[in-house]
Amino acid sequence: MNLEPSRRDFLKTAAVAAGAVLIRNVAVAKPADALIDTNVYLSHWPLRRLPCDDTAKLVAKLRANGVTQAWAGSFDGLLHRDIAAVNARLADECRRLGGGLLVPFGSVNPKLPDWEDDLRRCVEEHRMPGIRLHPSYHGCKLDDPDFAKLLQFAAKRGLLVQIAHIMEDRRMMHPLLQVEPPDLKPLADIVKKTPGLRLELLNVKLPPLDLLKAGDVSVEIAMLEGVGGVGKLLAQLPAERVLFGSYAPKFYFESALLKLKESPLTEEQLRAVRCANAQRLLARKQLS
Amino acid sequence: MFEIWDVHVHLSGVPGATPEERLERLLEGAERLGIARLCVFMGMKWSYDPTPDDMRRQNDEVLRAVKRFPDRAFGFVYLNPQHTQASLDELNRCVRDGPMVGVKLWVAMHCNESKLDPIVARATELKAVVLQHTWYKITGNLPGESTSEDLAQLAARHPNATFISAHSGGDWERGLRAIRPYPNVYGEICGGDPTAGYTEMAVRELGPERVLYGSDAGGRSFASQLAKVLGADIPDSAKRLVLAENTKRILKPILREKGIKI
Ligand SMILES: [Zn+2]
């Protein structure tokens, strides 16, 4: 459906008036516009196969939906102990199968001996622009000194740090694998004490507004809920803090894309969330 | 092109001082995503175990809202089986004598209990569908919160009634299995995260004719829930059924009775 927005809206309104609203696809902007998905995963979710948990399939799905870049972590980073191998595989998959689309974000588990070397390899061997952390799967609370140390090291290395808050609904977890989402409160203090830290929160249900206003902290929309949630969030935060993220392939990619359509956003807001904010966040690495 | 009917919407989670204003906000969001009709139930303020007065207040609010938008919204009557006679009276008031087309049962009582039998029997006489909240929580269900297995027991006693398993048990890999043997139970996929594979499994295990799209808006977003169908790896013919055709088919008898053309 390549109609101009005004024409499209008119048709939609006319159709609603007739009591027969129809939807064909979920395109939100012209295909030429950049779309950066800051929250995708490679490899397998530990408890279920997913329709797109194959890298080639995921890339095809993202491309078909207009994604021009996707920041990829690995599901293996949750429970595997051989983190060095997890990150090597992630970097390799992104290079071999990403077709220029996938940007690897390595895992670091600050509770493993010599995690510092995993961090070093992310930067020096894999040339990753950032890391993705799953502290609750590593038994690490955010006020743990090891966690603060990890963020300090990452900031010094110029890495963008993503913290994945919720990986699945607490109520329906496997009885033998129940993981509490980490309490985000200690982050405010860490942010204050860690100069140069760039943080992005992933999979947050209720964005912590104070924290997001405090430092260089951004949030993506994969778990944002409510009618017109993106518009409501933008009304409460500086526009540059909100990024696009789908949590594909665990979530249907279309969820995040449709959220952009559900909120009445200006062209400028749409551009900021779709790509400009993510581009700026990555580019700041060179400055720091 | 897909026509979309949303079988699970509440007057909550959106701003508005009156039920009419809230439904208007919901319809604006729905319209942006091409959703034609909403089934609405429960009032502006909820309670797990409503008194007969509270039940009437909440249903009055839904009646007000759907009266303002009769071409876009249908009401389901919210009942509490703990108050059997009051529920039967309310069923008659809102469905037999009013515009409502379905029954909503939430968490006041496990739905396998015999107190539900007269309510289901009366709803079926009136051709109303019965939508029952179902969830499995590893963190613990509410005292009266039904699982899909509870609903399966009720459905076995009432083969001629039409049931909707709201949320398909939340833990859908469990819930879909529990309702699978009962052809009069429909799996509705709203209210949980848009976890990929959900709709594929529902369609595979129940057949595309027994799966219904719903959102649980305004607590949930229309977008995240619609993605479960639009993003699913199922044929367009199945999406068409899930998005509207199945809901239209199960509501058709009561809509026809009320002279509502669709
Ligand atoms: Zn609900």
Side-chain angles (χ1 to χ4, degrees):
Chain A
M1 199 146 74
N2 286 320
L3 300 169
E4 289 302 303
S6 56
R7 171 78 178 142
R8 203 167 54 204
D9 286 346
F10 166 75
L11 285 178
K12 213 164 54 175
T13 311
V16 168
V21 183
L22 303 161
I23 190 163
R24 178 175 281 283
N25 62 20
V26 298
V28 170
K30 287 171 229 100
D33 292 352
L35 178 58
I36 300 178
D37 189 338
T38 67
N39 182 11
V40 308
Y41 279 84
L42 305 191
S43 193
H44 293 171
W45 177 248
L47 298 164
R48 167 187 308 125
R49 291 303 304 268
L50 303 163
C52 281
D53 63 7
D54 165 271
T55 303
K57 258 194 199 167
L58 178 66
V59 169
K61 172 93 175 178
L62 296 172
R63 253 194 228 297
N65 281 285
V67 173
T68 50
Q69 185 180 91
W71 302 356
S74 174
F75 283 131
D76 297 346
L78 273 61
L79 299 172
H80 289 216
R81 260 84 170 252
D82 185 359
I83 291 289
V86 169
N87 290 335
R89 276 200 307 275
L90 174 68
D92 178 61
E93 289 257 311
C94 288
R95 204 170 28 241
R96 270 191 312 114
L97 302 168
L101 191 90
L102 299 177
V103 180
F105 275 61
S107 296
V108 180
N109 178 348
K111 287 296 172 191
L112 287 173
D114 199 26
W115 58 261
E116 291 88 342
D117 201 59
D118 289 322
L119 191 77
R120 182 193 64 76
R121 291 188 209 187
C122 286
V123 181
E124 294 176 11
E125 290 184 10
H126 307 310
R127 306 277 161 205
M128 293 172 174
I131 51 173
R132 186 172 297 177
L133 306 179
H134 305 93
S136 43
Y137 283 80
H138 300 154
C140 185
K141 293 203 161 39
L142 302 196
D143 56 3
D144 189 314
D146 289 333
F147 189 73
K149 193 173 160 201
L150 168 54
L151 294 200
Q152 278 157 16
F153 274 44
K156 272 198 201 111
R157 288 288 199 160
L159 289 166
L160 170 61
V161 178
Q162 297 184 318
I163 298 176
H165 187 231
I166 298 171
M167 297 304 285
E168 62 175 340
D169 192 320
R170 180 70 187 81
R171 298 170 296 174
M172 286 87 80
M173 284 181 168
H174 192 285
L176 302 180
L177 188 64
Q178 300 192 59
V179 182
E180 295 291 339
D183 180 6
L184 296 176
K185 266 195 214 91
L187 275 181
D189 197 44
I190 298 178
V191 167
K192 232 179 286 163
K193 289 177 181 161
T194 315
L197 178 63
R198 293 170 301 138
L199 211 54
E200 184 193 358
L201 304 177
L202 310 183
N203 293 352
V204 177
K205 283 232 182 268
L206 298 168
L209 297 176
D210 289 346
L211 176 66
L212 289 159
K213 288 178 198 161
D216 195 344
V217 187
S218 303
V219 68
E220 54 76 52
I221 62 170
M223 286 205 180
L224 195 63
E225 282 291 346
V227 178
V230 177
K232 282 181 198 159
L233 186 63
L234 286 169
Q236 300 172 81
L237 280 179
E240 71 269 17
R241 295 277 189 251
V242 182
L243 312 182
F244 182 83
S246 70
Y247 194 27
K250 179 92 191 305
F251 279 9
Y252 290 110
F253 172 85
E254 288 79 356
S255 167
L257 199 57
L258 285 165
K259 284 177 193 172
L260 299 185
K261 198 167 183 166
E262 188 178 31
S263 290
L265 305 177
T266 65
E267 282 293 316
E268 201 178 333
Q269 285 175 319
L270 208 49
R271 202 176 316 113
V273 175
R274 285 176 56 100
C275 56
N277 293 344
Q279 278 163 346
R280 210 179 315 115
L281 193 56
L282 265 201
R284 279 211 290 281
K285 186 201 172 182
Q286 275 77 38
L287 301 175
S288 59
Chain B
M1 298 287 256
F2 298 116
E3 184 179 6
I4 307 171
W5 285 33
D6 189 326
V7 79
H8 193 140
V9 176
H10 302 291
L11 298 174
S12 63
V14 288
T18 65
E20 294 89 336
E21 281 172 33
R22 291 200 183 178
L23 184 52
E24 193 172 4
R25 294 288 91 72
L26 288 160
L27 285 166
E28 282 167 9
E31 185 176 335
R32 295 185 62 81
L33 293 175
I35 301 165
R37 310 234 190 186
L38 311 181
C39 297
V40 182
F41 31 88
M42 299 166 67
M44 298 183 28
K45 196 168 163 287
W46 297 359
S47 46
Y48 290 153
D49 184 14
T51 63
D53 277 349
D54 190 24
M55 227 160 40
R56 282 188 286 271
R57 174 191 63 79
Q58 296 199 47
N59 291 324
D60 280 341
E61 288 174 355
V62 172
L63 287 167
R64 277 176 61 180
V66 299
K67 197 174 170 202
R68 173 75 66 84
F69 302 97
D71 298 332
R72 304 286 311 282
F74 300 114
F76 283 19
V77 60
Y78 178 36
L79 302 178
N80 179 352
Q82 300 275 11
H83 306 288
T84 312
Q85 190 53 50
S87 288
L88 290 168
D89 293 346
E90 194 60 354
L91 189 50
N92 285 331
R93 180 178 82 100
C94 296
V95 176
R96 184 194 63 198
D97 308 331
M100 293 199 182
V101 298
V103 171
K104 163 67 189 261
L105 297 166
W106 196 30
V107 295
M109 175 180 249
H110 280 271
C111 67
N112 56 347
E113 300 212 22
S114 58
K115 274 193 158 182
L116 273 84
D117 290 333
I119 295 170
V120 171
R122 181 65 183 138
T124 306
E125 281 170 13
L126 295 171
K127 300 187 169 66
V129 300
V130 178
L131 183 145
Q132 168 69 57
H133 168 97
T134 51
W135 212 293
Y136 291 91
K137 293 172 182 162
I138 193 73
T139 45
N141 278 31
L142 293 162
E145 188 170 19
S146 299
T147 65
S148 307
E149 282 149 86
D150 294 335
L151 180 57
Q153 289 177 24
L154 180 68
R157 297 203 299 268
H158 297 272
N160 296 321
T162 299
F163 294 99
I164 299 171
S165 174
H167 321 297
S168 290
D171 185 348
W172 40 273
E173 285 161 317
R174 205 177 173 91
L176 291 169
R177 298 171 63 94
I179 60 171
R180 187 168 54 191
Y182 302 92
N184 57 331
V185 185
Y186 290 75
E188 175 253 79
I189 56 175
C190 87
D193 286 334
T195 305
Y198 186 166
T199 312
E200 287 88 339
M201 181 181 169
V203 165
R204 184 185 74 223
E205 295 303 325
L206 303 182
E209 300 82 10
R210 280 177 61 196
V211 183
L212 309 179
Y213 157 72
S215 65
D216 221 354
R220 287 277 175 176
S221 113
F222 289 112
S224 68
Q225 306 300 306
L226 199 52
K228 289 177 180 171
V229 189
L230 294 178
D233 189 11
I234 54 174
D236 277 1
S237 57
K239 290 184 184 177
R240 197 162 284 120
L241 288 166
V242 174
L243 289 170
E245 291 307 318
N246 292 338
T247 296
K248 287 167 80 167
R249 189 177 65 251
I250 61 176
L251 290 182
K252 199 175 250 171
I254 194 164
L255 293 177
R256 191 183 295 139
E257 188 120 321
K258 290 179 181 294
I260 299 169
K261 287 211 175 65
I262 52 169

